[in-house]
Amino acid sequence: MQGLAQVPRLLLSYAGVQFEDYHYENPDHWFKEDKLHLGLDFPNLPYLVDGEYNITESGAIQRYIIDRWGPAELLGKDAKEKAKLESFLSIFTEIAGAAKGLFFNKEWETAKTAVIEKYRPKLEQLDKFVGENKFVLGYLTLADFVVAEDSHYIERLFPEDFKAFSFLGRIRAEFNDLPQIKKYYEQPKAFKGRFFPEYAAVTIEQ
Ligand SMILES: N[C@@H](CCC(=O)N[C@@H](CS)C(=O)NCC(=O)O)C(=O)O
């Protein structure tokens, strides 16, 4: 699965870091072995191991990669922009989390109405905030990595809203056009997998 590891993969690639991208094929290898024995403080997937150091929780992994390998402005250029970025991400990840939850809900077709009605006003705010910008803050930040990835879930469930809130498609297109991102996806070892496991109620065609 692309899953929560995809943004870290892309951040590492963007920063030009060489890394091993390990994929668990057998659940027992994770749940019965590595989860118990890797020495992670908060064992979960994805995890990042950097020498003696390790970190889990995708938001923490994203920020660690940027703090460690840069470029620093991916987290905003100053205190005010950093805080706006975190505001944006906090709202966007809540919406994306609700959309992702529907993928595991067998009643997703009926449940999705309440989700979009709750979050449509928030999407409107985000769209207004981005305005005509190429990227969320006008220059590339972590938010654009997250929007480029998670906008797929919103598009699959709410295609009309995906079109109406044009920042979603525009940022994804601009992001995928970045030379560093194109370079990553051109490599044979680039990971472009399923978005969700086979047992998910909804699937995304690739
Ligand atoms: N809050 C965690 C959620 C991690 C999570 O839900 N991981 C899923 C895969 S996307 C998993 O299978 N974890 C394995 C486990 O629970 O041991 C994060 O943001 O990284």
Side-chain angles (χ1 to χ4, degrees):
M1 275 162 55
Q2 270 187 215
L4 293 169
Q6 195 70 358
V7 169
R9 286 185 191 103
L10 294 173
L11 286 168
L12 288 167
S13 305
Y14 187 81
V17 180
Q18 299 289 322
F19 62 99
E20 181 195 359
D21 187 4
Y22 188 79
H23 308 153
Y24 286 92
E25 304 289 344
N26 172 358
D28 283 353
H29 183 192
W30 167 248
F31 285 104
K32 297 194 175 159
E33 297 174 37
D34 286 2
K35 183 166 183 169
L36 311 175
H37 304 303
L38 276 181
L40 304 168
D41 293 317
F42 312 109
N44 214 333
L45 297 174
Y47 62 78
L48 175 76
V49 175
D50 177 18
E52 296 294 304
Y53 183 77
N54 61 60
I55 184 83
T56 52
E57 292 301 310
S58 44
I61 295 171
Q62 294 161 5
R63 285 156 183 79
Y64 176 76
I65 292 170
I66 298 169
D67 283 335
R68 173 97 160 83
W69 291 287
E73 74 173 41
L74 286 182
L75 289 176
K77 286 182 182 171
D78 59 29
K80 290 178 178 166
E81 294 191 354
K82 280 173 196 278
K84 288 285 178 193
L85 174 80
E86 294 300 341
S87 275
F88 183 98
L89 273 172
S90 174
I91 297 163
F92 185 78
T93 50
E94 185 181 332
I95 299 169
K100 289 176 186 183
L102 287 169
F103 278 73
F104 294 100
N105 183 348
K106 294 220 175 340
E107 309 296 321
W108 67 276
E109 278 170 296
T110 42
K112 72 180 205 166
T113 307
V115 169
I116 195 62
E117 280 174 4
K118 178 173 177 190
Y119 288 112
R120 193 174 280 128
K122 297 280 178 194
L123 280 166
E124 264 168 33
Q125 291 168 7
L126 298 180
D127 196 53
K128 187 168 165 225
F129 178 80
V130 178
E132 296 303 310
N133 282 352
K134 181 172 161 178
F135 291 123
V136 171
L137 291 186
Y139 54 93
L140 186 72
T141 63
L142 173 60
D144 306 302
F145 284 73
V146 175
V147 169
E149 181 71 12
D150 287 356
S151 58
H152 287 281
Y153 304 108
I154 297 171
E155 181 182 19
R156 172 69 178 86
L157 294 163
F158 312 112
E160 294 305 317
D161 290 274
F162 175 80
K163 271 189 229 143
F165 302 120
S166 61
F167 78 99
L168 295 164
R170 194 173 68 250
I171 287 177
R172 192 206 295 169
E174 293 286 356
F175 180 81
N176 287 334
D177 209 32
L178 291 166
Q180 298 90 334
I181 300 303
K182 280 192 184 153
K183 193 174 153 202
Y184 171 72
Y185 280 117
E186 280 163 12
Q187 298 173 92
K189 65 170 191 182
F191 192 69
K192 191 145 180 43
R194 299 172 56 86
F195 278 84
F196 274 118
E198 286 171 20
Y199 56 82
V202 196
T203 54
I204 291 184
E205 303 297 329
Q206 305 228 14

